[in-house]
């Protein structure tokens, strides 16, 4: 392991000051479930670690508009079990419970979940080329093991998919990320946080060095209470999704009056299915319409011999989840 110095921040501004000062690579330590693995494996080497795990950023509070603020240091297990989250944003609770294992959820934090590295099997194998780990060395997954490769938004430099379950749910909601930086606090739309690989796959987010996520705010839509999260994976727990879907649906007189779709296992960044949503809105809430919307969303998908199965999975699971929501909505209306 590369030697590093350890610093314990006394507050948010102190953490940012410490992370922004001096030379070398600096990492924040919160739950550590991603960072510590990579330090031990030699995947990442840092010069300084700034501990923020004890900062007073773990509160889950109600916002004036009926939304919820999640402190960046709130533990995944606590957020998933929180009554406000379960009632108003069941997508978030379900997605978090589908991720990792109980032990990891007890340690992992909200802010850390948003910042976990987008990666494939080659990223953690330091004997293989990886542009994300070592820029300019090549992408082993392009011609290698491609079962988990992205369908959308990839580049010739990286074809990995974003691993977070929580972020799939957040992509489907109205989510704001609160960030403290060297110039003070600012707010980002969740869609602007992560970036596609392009020419620089080593950069997962749009954050500046030293930026610290302090909270995640969940807002509407109002029909977000009527939602499902469905994850397909190779084993029942502790596995990344082959594909996943976060869906919220509102049906009025047999027509789709509101819809949100987030897809996981398909892209380098959490994917909001805007094309499918636009096609569905105002149309019939039927299985045929749901399937046509998925096909439209996947029209620009690029598949290889190892990951073409993902298209089949999405064509089955997304319409099934939407049909389930439409049926439940009709039953509730009666």
């Amino acid at each position: 392991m590369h030697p590093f110095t350890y610093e314990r921040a006394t507050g948010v501004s102190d953490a940012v000051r410490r992370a922004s000062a001096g030379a070398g690579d600096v990492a924040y330590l919160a739950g550590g479930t991603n960072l510590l693995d990579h330090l031990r494996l030699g995947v990442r080497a840092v010069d300084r670690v700034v501990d923020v795990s004890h900062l007073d950023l773990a509160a889950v509070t109600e916002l004036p508009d009926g939304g919820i603020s999640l402190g960046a240091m709130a533990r995944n297990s606590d957020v998933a079990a929180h009554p406000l989250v379960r009632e108003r944003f069941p997508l978030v609770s379900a997605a978090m419970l589908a991720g990792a294992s109980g032990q990891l959820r007890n340690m992992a934090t909200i802010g850390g979940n948003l910042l976990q590295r987008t990666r494939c099997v080659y990223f953690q194998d330091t004997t293989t080329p990886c542009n994300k780990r070592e820029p300019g060395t090549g992408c082993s997954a392009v011609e290698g093991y491609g079962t988990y490769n992205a369908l959308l938004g990839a580049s010739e430099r990286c074809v990995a998919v974003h691993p977070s379950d929580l972020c799939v749910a957040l992509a489907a909601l109205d989510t704001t990320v609160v960030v403290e930086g060297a110039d003070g606090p600012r707010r980002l739309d969740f869609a602007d946080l992560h970036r596609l690989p392009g020419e620089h796959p080593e950069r997962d987010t749009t954050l500046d060095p030293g930026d610290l996520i302090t909270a995640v705010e969940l807002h509407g839509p109002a029909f977000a209470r009527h939602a499902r999260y469905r994850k397909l994976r190779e084993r029942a727990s502790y596995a990344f999704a082959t594909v996943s879907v976060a869906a919220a649906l509102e049906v009025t007189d047999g027509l789709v009056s509101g819809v949100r779709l987030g897809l996981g296992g398909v892209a380098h960044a959490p994917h909001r299915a805007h094309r499918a949503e636009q096609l569905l809105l105002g149309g019939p809430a039927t299985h045929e319409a749901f399937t046509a919307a998925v096909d439209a969303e996947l029209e620009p998908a690029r598949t290889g011999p190892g990951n073409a199965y993902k298209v089949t999975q999405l064509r089955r699971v997304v319409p099934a989840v939407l049909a389930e929501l439409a049926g439940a909505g009709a039953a509730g209306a009666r």
Side-chain angles (χ1 to χ4, degrees), residues 131-152:
N131 286 322
K132 183 172 283 292
R133 180 173 17 89
E134 296 181 79
T137 58
C139 177
S140 297
V142 170
E143 299 294 337
Y145 183 74
T147 298
Y148 295 103
N149 286 1
L151 300 174
L152 301 165

Side-chain angles (χ1 to χ4, degrees), residues 228-252:
R228 299 283 190 279
Y229 183 76
R230 194 69 45 82
K231 177 179 182 179
L232 303 187
R233 46 188 163 179
E234 293 180 344
R235 56 179 182 265
S237 66
Y238 198 47
F240 292 149
T242 54
V243 299
S244 62
V245 55
L249 185 71
E250 182 178 56
V251 178
T252 304

Side-chain angles (χ1 to χ4, degrees), residues 147-213:
T147 298
Y148 295 103
N149 286 1
L151 300 174
L152 301 165
S155 75
E156 62 180 11
R157 295 185 180 271
C158 186
V159 292
V161 297
H162 196 275
S164 171
D165 290 286
L166 170 62
C167 287
V168 181
L170 297 183
L173 300 171
D174 295 332
T175 306
T176 301
V177 182
V178 185
V179 179
E180 184 82 17
D183 296 326
R186 68 182 189 277
R187 304 164 74 81
L188 292 175
D189 187 274
F190 180 77
D192 296 327
L193 175 63
H194 298 96
R195 60 182 302 280
L196 296 178
E199 297 294 314
H200 294 282
E202 72 277 10
R203 293 166 49 198
D204 288 328
T205 73
T206 61
L207 296 182
D208 296 324
D211 280 353
L212 177 67
I213 294 177

Side-chain angles (χ1 to χ4, degrees), residues 60 70-82 85-86 89-114 116 163-170 216 218 229-231 233 237-239 246:
V60 177
L70 310 175
M73 300 304 153
R75 305 292 177 175
N76 288 11
S77 293
D78 294 336
V79 173
H82 198 284
V85 178
R86 293 178 62 187
F89 300 97
L91 270 181
V92 171
S93 181
M96 297 183 79
L97 292 174
S101 65
Q103 294 91 333
L104 287 173
R105 291 194 295 270
N106 287 339
M107 285 298 298
T109 63
I110 293 296
N113 196 299
L114 269 61
Q116 63 181 299
S164 171
D165 290 286
L166 170 62
C167 287
V168 181
L170 297 183
V216 174
L218 309 176
Y229 183 76
R230 194 69 45 82
K231 177 179 182 179
R233 46 188 163 179
S237 66
Y238 198 47

